[in-house]
Amino acid sequence: QVQLAESGGGSVQGGGSLRLSCAASGATYRIDCMGWFRQAPGKEREGVAHILTTGNSALYADAVKGRFTISIDSAANTVYLQMNSLKPEDTAMYYCAAETRRYVCSGGPLSYNNRGQGTQVSVSS
């Protein structure tokens, strides 16, 4: 089993930046990929980005392309989400996710079988 702990959320003005971190513990050797999804009040969950533990094949939602960057430190079992040029519509609870089943990473973070408790990101106009 894998445990995930997010940090780095907060409040920022539009145009600002935040960096989210997610540390994995437990059976980390089983993780094939990690990612982030978000959920705003009254809205459906939305996949944001995901990446293989090799550091390859980073993919992003169209809404965040060019503004967000996902990276991974496999030695530290930590995935990061650098968020630049933040917009009020980025306001949401951000969740880290990790997948330990083989060959399902392409499904995106909404389908992954391990999730964290979330960290709140609020962007004001």
Side-chain angles (χ1 to χ4, degrees), residues 24 28-29 31-34 51-56 71-80:
T28 57
Y29 64 93
I31 297 174
D32 273 3
C33 49
M34 298 182 74
I51 189 169
L52 299 180
T53 51
T54 57
N56 298 326
S71 60
I72 191 165
D73 182 343
S74 294
N77 299 311
T78 301
V79 66
Y80 303 96

Side-chain angles (χ1 to χ4, degrees), residues 37-111:
F37 66 93
R38 65 187 182 185
Q39 187 165 25
K43 295 187 177 181
E44 293 187 355
R45 290 177 299 175
E46 174 187 26
V48 175
H50 63 275
I51 189 169
L52 299 180
T53 51
T54 57
N56 298 326
S57 301
L59 292 175
Y60 299 90
D62 288 343
V64 306
K65 279 181 183 176
R67 299 188 298 120
F68 290 11
T69 302
I70 189 170
S71 60
I72 191 165
D73 182 343
S74 294
N77 299 311
T78 301
V79 66
Y80 303 96
L81 187 68
Q82 178 66 44
M83 305 185 294
N84 298 328
S85 302
L86 282 161
K87 305 175 181 180
E89 50 264 44
D90 294 317
T91 295
M93 185 72 79
Y94 283 71
Y95 298 87
C96 175
E99 179 59 62
T100 58
R101 297 167 297 179
R102 301 297 300 276
Y103 312 123
V104 296
C105 289
S106 61
L110 288 177
S111 66

